Amino acid sequence: MKEKLELLKLLADETRLDILNLLLKEDSYVEKIACELSLTPATICYHLKKMEAAGIVNCSRSQFYIIYSLNREIFEKPLLELIKKDKVIIDTEEKYKKEVISNFFKYGRLTQIPTQRKKREIVLSEILKQFDFDRMYDEKEVNEIILHYHDDFCTIRREMIAFGMMSRNYEKYKRIK
Amino acid sequence: MKEKLELLKLLADETRLDILNLLLKEDSYVEKIACELSLTPATICYHLKKMEAAGIVNCSRSQFYIIYSLNREIFEKPLLELIKKDKVIIDTEEKYKKEVISNFFKYGRLTQIPTQRKKREIVLSEILKQFDFDRMYDEKEVNEIILHYHDDFCTIRREMIAFGMMSRNYEKYKRIK
DNA sequence: AGAGTGTTTTGATGAATTTCTAATCAGTTA
DNA sequence: TAACTGATTAGAAATTCATCAAAACACTCT
């Protein structure tokens, strides 16, 4: 993954693109490229070394010169492959939660309160994140926050208490899980 | 051409790649993305606006939110297409010169002195570039510079004078064209 | 070994860019 | 219209990175 970002960074520079375009036509060497691009050999060397380390170009000595050539395979991939993150292995529990959340929320709103207890707990936990641990809320506040996600704040508020996520004392609510 | 470089620059940033990967899964909006990536909305907005200007993403309002979505076509092209410079139309004379030079030089050395007068002139002009206008060279210096390109420096030196590229006065040489 | 060439490294400089905080803007809904 | 919420902009701090000059290095050929 990290390499993909590195590759993109290397390609996102005008000078390096110029160099690659020269190498696209024919293999070449530091001084020649420097001359053609009106830059110093030190600069060209700097770029070529970077690209070599990333496997974009290869080099080999020939007489006085060190001839650089393109590693053309790299450029055949479609762009999508370069931006797509490799899947990370998440443990299945975590994955299931994400799945449920993604199914029941749309544009940040809860589309429906799940009937299955397990799923309901996941969805409620998600809303619960909006509450801080170390303060008290009065009912009006609780309702307003929940309203952000769903119109039926009564059911959700009640269920949160049923699941032991919230406690209620003297009309005041507090997050406890 | 400029746009290709811009596109690559935009893709070469970790945060933007993260954003794109989220959008790859589903359309989203500033606050949600900010939350998922643990960055401020200002930062996400900054990136999305940049990408929108480049046509990578589109946006439209929906209720409270401004929903951003991917412009997926962009990512289907192979990478090569992004790095390759569009051909510039060079006038044919210029093109012919490049052709001749590329034919007669190999690794910066002149492989053979062209017999055709026209081609010889082009090749000599190329070597001539190594001489400054505003200074005198003694013969030894001239020979050394030419030797860089070809062993028969005598012929080349003589021809340069014949073509009116160099002048000789009292054993001193000077570039005049 | 030593002269001559092309290549690479080092250190400094300056430009570009990401990120944040704070303030402002722009829709939505009561 | 007023109050709310999310989006955007402005300004500042910090980082990254390309470039060059000069010195050091590596190879070739006498």
Side-chain angles (χ1 to χ4, degrees), chain A residues 100-117:
Chain A
V100 172
I101 289 170
S102 135
N103 284 341
F104 282 91
F105 286 91
K106 183 104 185 175
Y107 299 152
R109 293 273 297 174
L110 181 61
T111 52
Q112 177 193 8
I113 300 177
T115 325
Q116 282 182 42
R117 186 188 153 85

Side-chain angles (χ1 to χ4, degrees), chain A residues 54-169:
Chain A
I56 301 177
V57 302
N58 307 309
C59 71
S60 65
R61 182 169 273 269
S62 160
Q63 283 188 60
F64 276 111
Y65 307 92
I66 291 180
I67 306 293
Y68 282 87
S69 59
L70 267 195
N71 184 1
R72 292 171 191 259
E73 301 141 43
I74 289 186
F75 304 106
E76 283 156 22
K77 299 179 193 168
L79 194 49
L80 182 61
E81 230 172 277
L82 270 191
I83 69 156
K84 208 166 187 173
K85 292 229 168 183
D86 301 324
K87 282 192 197 63
V88 193
I89 292 88
I90 327 172
D91 69 301
T92 45
E93 179 64 17
E94 205 56 35
K95 203 168 170 179
Y96 175 69
K97 278 187 188 170
K98 292 214 169 185
E99 181 84 6
V100 172
I101 289 170
S102 135
N103 284 341
F104 282 91
F105 286 91
K106 183 104 185 175
Y107 299 152
R109 293 273 297 174
L110 181 61
T111 52
Q112 177 193 8
I113 300 177
T115 325
Q116 282 182 42
R117 186 188 153 85
K118 174 93 178 158
K119 290 184 183 173
R120 204 159 64 246
E121 182 169 9
I122 292 171
V123 159
L124 292 174
S125 295
E126 190 62 18
I127 297 176
L128 188 69
K129 289 181 184 168
Q130 297 308 311
F131 295 89
D132 295 328
F133 275 105
D134 39 9
R135 60 165 282 209
M136 309 293 257
Y137 295 85
D138 57 30
E139 189 165 301
K140 188 159 164 286
E141 283 179 299
V142 173
N143 293 346
E144 276 169 3
I145 291 173
I146 295 175
L147 203 49
H148 226 91
Y149 296 93
H150 199 271
D151 294 336
D152 185 0
F153 49 80
C154 288
T155 302
I156 290 176
R157 197 190 57 223
R158 188 179 346 103
E159 287 280 296
M160 279 180 163
I161 289 169
F163 272 108
M165 297 168 177
M166 286 278 214
S167 68
R168 183 168 73 172
N169 276 315

Side-chain angles (χ1 to χ4, degrees), chain A residues 9 13 15-16 39-40 42-43 46-47 50 61 63-64 148:
Chain A
K9 278 192 180 165
D13 176 85
T15 301
R16 281 192 288 265
L39 290 168
T40 62
T43 301
Y46 163 77
H47 290 301
K50 277 195 141 181
R61 182 169 273 269
Q63 283 188 60
F64 276 111
H148 226 91

